[in-house]
Amino acid sequence: MTNPIQDIEKSDVILITGSNTTENHPVLSSYVKRAVKFKGARLIVVDPRRIPITRHAAQWLRPNLGTDVAWINGMMHVIINEGLYDEAYVQNRTVGLDELKQIVAKYTPEYVEEISGIPRAELTAAARTYAEAPAASILYAMGITQHVTGTDNVKSLANLAMLCGNVGIPGGGVNPLRGQNNVQGACDMGGLPDVYTGYQKVDDPAVRKRMESAWGVDRLPDRPGLTATDMMNKAYEGELKALYIIGENPMVSDPDLNHAEKSLKNLDFLVVQDIFMTETARMADVVLPSASFAEKDGTFTNTERKVQRVRKAVTPPGKAREDGVILCDLSKRLGYAMSYKDSREVMEEIARVTPSYCGINYNRIKAKGLHWPCTGTDHPGTPCLHMDQFTCGLGVFHAIDYRQPAEVPDDAYPLFLTTGRLLYHYHTGTMTMKTPGLNELAPACFVEISREDAAGYGLVEGDTLLIRSRRGKIEATARISEMAVKGTVFIPFHYAAAAANRLTHAALDPIAKIPEFKVCAVAIEKV
Amino acid sequence: MSASNRIQIDGKEVQFSPGETILEVAWRKGIAIPTLCYLKGASPTGACRICLVEVEGARSLVASCAAPAAPDMVVRTDSEKVIRSRKLNLELLLGSGHHYCVTCEADGDCRLQELAYEYEVETVRFTESPARYPVETNTLITRDFSRCIMCGRCVQACNDIQVNEAISYGYRGDASKIVTIGDRPYINSDCVFCGECVQACPVGALVAKPSRFKGKPWEMKKVRTTCSYCGVGCQMYLHVNKGRVVKVTGVDGIGPNYGSLCVKGRFGFDFIHDANRLNTPLVRENGALREADWDEALDRIARNLKKIIDKDGPDSIGFLTSARITNEENYVAQKFTRAVLGTNNVDHCARL
């Protein structure tokens, strides 16, 4: 997030898109609901499902799946046309408006209605509401990013926010809501193929040299490595021979599971380090038992870039060990002695090699976390990014054209499928499905379908359906729901027994390499 | 500041900002006024009558949580009249229901119990009202109406803090009850089981069912940590008894959650002590996984990785670190991949 969570209650307008906020970020959604109920904020929701937060919205726009660039360009078309943009901000802090203007010129509300299905008057009204707000915040999640145009979608939202002067002000911002406890931290720590900690590039010789000397090694690899999705493809093709997986269950969470299964089977050697015998661990050559969050000390970095403490409360079961301790032991066996007294010592090393974390230490975050960048031990942290200028100087508008999703419905597969999580479960369910109360509230997989489609297929609530895509098939029961819109069904991806990802498409965004989980075409029939 | 922005509390001159209540001014100045129904961040209800104070010139005692400070007010928080009235109110509350502490989950962490002790309520003068409504329970939350003091904190928590708007006040007089829409049980209502009401309840009327009979508050070690589900990073206490996490509560007064949690954070902790946790390394032999010790398992990994590096080069190995583990562990994982294995093939599940 460019802005801290607390800023949400300072927003005059909140635009939520591609985030089922109340179910996936429930505590953060309360900030939105309070802003609307008590602070007079206006909420615009743009989502293909009538998600629960729409109850609090002044406006709900319903786009067809995978048409985000179109409606965002459409809003900018209206804003530019009506002169509602922040001229001083654009002049002083950005470049590239002319190119943007040229591209969005054709995205008239009429044209956008053709593509997205959003009625022109609604789009125009939303554009005006957003543009006229003194401070407007954009909240988004995987509904924006998990597309072949994921990068384009995010850049388009950034365009919209910059156009209206909403980046670098309290109550504004472009705010991705991150779905996993430490996905921000895993990225910050260099758990990515092209960067070390703090997004320092592996192909920058100066950076590499610094890391080589810090780590005491002669030569670090100089080319960016493979992304997770590419690793699976290379395994499928036989080029990747071994995979070491910590705390992840691609046999349920990857797109096109049949492909994922073949990829993993094709490896010469698979190690899985986890707290449970997951669907993926069952396929491993070696399985290592690790400690859960309650059994270790350390830090997580949350969605607002705040580094917060994790503390050991209980001991791990049996022989299970902390992930870091396991890796240090293994590194010794491979001839490189990594050893740390405790997690505090690791954080001290992180601070030494990472400019954005260099002011962070356990003493400072004992009671209250710190937002990075935190560039010195007397630096207060940075809750809000880009305040006086963008990190890179001027904000760059990206002129982006709309492109179709990789797969759209046709006669053979006539319905759109989109996937996501439910309030009561988390990801592949390895943790939440151990709690009886949560299983009672969300016991099994289902297909959420609109009243109209149910009538068209002659379905009643609870019917067992066979859902097929070009990749695979699953069975699940029909749930007729006001949340669904005609032509689109939704399936939660938590349930291994009826894994929605048997159906999903492995098509990737060319830059971010993120799969298009949110759009594919399916056919349904009563069993 | 002019003199008109001052009030006197217990003989002390204090400044107030317009809109501040007497209670807020007093608390800010370290003057203790007890409350049962006051909930930070919510609008005051004035329901419990425990925070009553004497205001010079007022006809009766005033609920300090709901009364704004006014220029030149003279307030007594500890006059005999105030103490007598608080004590009477406590007696009435204790008589209003089934306040039997022995096996109550709130015993030791109950505002009513604390205040009754502080105000030296020795016996309950009023006969206990019979329970009008039966205990309602589901797998996560138990509602014991006979212990409810109708303070309304749960209603505020649900409507003003979480804004789930699932509960409200129902019926009248003696029949008063906190109800869902249509007075249905929680399990069949709009309730989303965030448990904000449970945390807000000052007595034992709302209880986390899975934690029932798992330990008294003084037996628990409370360990502050960060939630391991979504990316919001809620601050929580793990309540540990006999080496097991038996309850989770939100940390009040600190962001990002200020005490709030969701259903997963508050109730989804059974996995920690689940019998199916992996507790030993396993290695594959003749097609099946069998138990091994750490030396055997790690040696096998080291041997295989070395062999593959020698034959196909380090770039034929991939490492998936995790969005679920700590920063420190992620740092070690990418350092291991780059410095030890010699490849940049390190990524994690950010995209999935």
Side-chain angles (χ1 to χ4, degrees), chain B residues 194-271:
Chain B
C194 66
E196 190 88 15
C197 57
V198 175
Q199 184 153 334
C201 183
V203 293
L206 291 165
V207 165
K209 176 80 187 310
S211 309
R212 187 90 175 99
F213 301 116
K214 295 285 162 60
K216 292 282 190 181
W218 56 86
E219 296 175 303
M220 310 266 199
K221 183 176 79 173
K222 272 166 74 178
V223 180
R224 181 166 154 199
T225 193
T226 302
C227 182
S228 74
Y229 285 112
C230 82
V232 173
C234 292
Q235 296 300 292
M236 52 166 52
Y237 287 115
L238 302 180
H239 299 238
V240 179
N241 188 18
K242 301 185 180 78
R244 291 176 75 87
V245 178
V246 294
K247 182 174 161 179
V248 174
T249 54
V251 179
D252 285 318
I254 196 147
N257 51 313
Y258 295 93
S260 294
L261 292 174
C262 77
V263 61
K264 294 183 285 281
R266 194 180 298 277
F267 295 108
F269 59 85
D270 293 72
F271 75 91

Side-chain angles (χ1 to χ4, degrees), chain B residues 280-316:
Chain B
T280 173
L282 302 167
V283 295
R284 191 166 295 279
E285 192 171 86
N286 301 325
L289 289 167
R290 66 154 171 86
E291 290 190 11
D293 62 19
W294 278 104
D295 279 334
E296 185 189 2
L298 292 177
D299 280 341
R300 183 182 298 202
I301 296 171
R303 205 168 55 241
N304 276 284
L305 292 180
K306 257 187 218 156
K307 204 168 73 190
I308 289 166
I309 292 171
D310 290 345
K311 187 161 161 279
D312 297 296
D315 286 340
S316 61

Side-chain angles (χ1 to χ4, degrees), chain A residues 17 25 34 89 107 149 168 240 273 279 284 370 378 464 471:
Chain A
T17 182
H25 299 90
R34 288 196 299 264
Y89 184 95
Y107 289 86
T149 59
L240 195 82
Q273 187 167 308
E279 289 72 13
L370 277 168
D378 52 357
T464 302
R471 274 78 48 196

Side-chain angles (χ1 to χ4, degrees), chain A residues 31 192 228 349 423 440 512, chain B residues 139 256 264 328 331 338 347 351:
Chain A
Y31 279 83
L192 293 170
E349 182 172 318
L423 172 62
E440 271 173 34
Chain B
T139 313
K264 294 183 285 281
E328 292 76 2
Y331 176 78
R338 295 184 159 118
D347 199 5
R351 300 171 182 82

Side-chain angles (χ1 to χ4, degrees), chain A residues 288-484:
Chain A
L288 302 176
S290 56
S292 78
F293 87 113
E295 294 146 7
K296 58 187 165 196
D297 287 301
T299 56
F300 293 152
T301 304
N302 78 350
T303 190
E304 51 175 350
R305 296 168 287 103
K306 194 179 192 182
V307 183
Q308 306 188 109
R309 277 303 310 274
V310 173
R311 292 185 181 87
K312 180 172 175 162
V314 291
T315 50
K319 297 179 195 163
R321 287 186 190 172
E322 293 176 33
D323 295 281
V325 172
I326 299 171
L327 290 176
C328 286
D329 192 340
L330 186 58
S331 79
K332 266 175 239 152
R333 289 164 207 256
L334 285 162
Y336 179 91
M338 256 204 292
S339 108
Y340 298 95
K341 195 167 83 226
D342 50 24
S343 61
R344 176 186 288 264
E345 205 174 278
V346 183
M347 183 50 87
E348 284 163 10
E349 182 172 318
I350 293 167
R352 276 200 300 278
V353 300
T354 316
S356 56
Y357 271 68
C358 83
I360 296 174
N361 61 54
Y362 280 15
N363 288 343
R364 290 190 76 193
I365 59 171
K366 201 169 161 189
K368 213 169 148 190
L370 277 168
H371 300 260
W372 67 258
C374 178
T375 52
T377 47
D378 52 357
H379 188 285
T382 313
C384 189
L385 292 176
H386 316 303
M387 284 303 269
D388 300 315
Q389 64 163 24
F390 287 95
T391 316
C392 54
L394 292 176
V396 180
F397 284 112
H398 294 269
I400 295 163
D401 229 339
Y402 163 72
R403 286 183 291 128
Q404 268 206 340
E407 185 178 69
V408 290
D410 54 19
D411 290 344
Y413 298 95
L415 292 171
F416 268 123
L417 165 70
T418 192
T419 63
R421 293 183 189 154
L422 304 173
L423 172 62
Y424 298 108
H425 283 303
Y426 182 79
H427 232 61
T428 68
T430 47
M431 291 158 65
T432 47
M433 288 179 193
K434 304 298 188 291
T435 293
L438 297 177
N439 287 334
E440 271 173 34
L441 289 161
C445 194
F446 60 86
V447 189
E448 177 189 286
I449 188 166
S450 70
R451 206 164 288 288
E452 296 95 311
D453 285 331
Y457 283 90
L459 304 176
V460 295
E461 179 89 8
D463 276 349
T464 302
L465 302 183
L466 176 72
I467 309 102
R468 290 181 299 115
S469 78
R470 287 184 177 81
R471 274 78 48 196
K473 58 186 181 191
I474 62 168
E475 280 186 13
T477 54
R479 178 181 289 181
I480 299 165
S481 168
E482 295 304 323
M483 279 164 74

Side-chain angles (χ1 to χ4, degrees), chain A residues 5 18 31 88 124 151 176 263 270 273 276 285 328 367 404 440 455 460 498:
Chain A
I5 293 170
Y31 279 83
T124 305
T151 308
S263 304
L270 174 64
Q273 187 167 308
F276 284 108
D285 296 291
C328 286
Q404 268 206 340
E440 271 173 34
V460 295

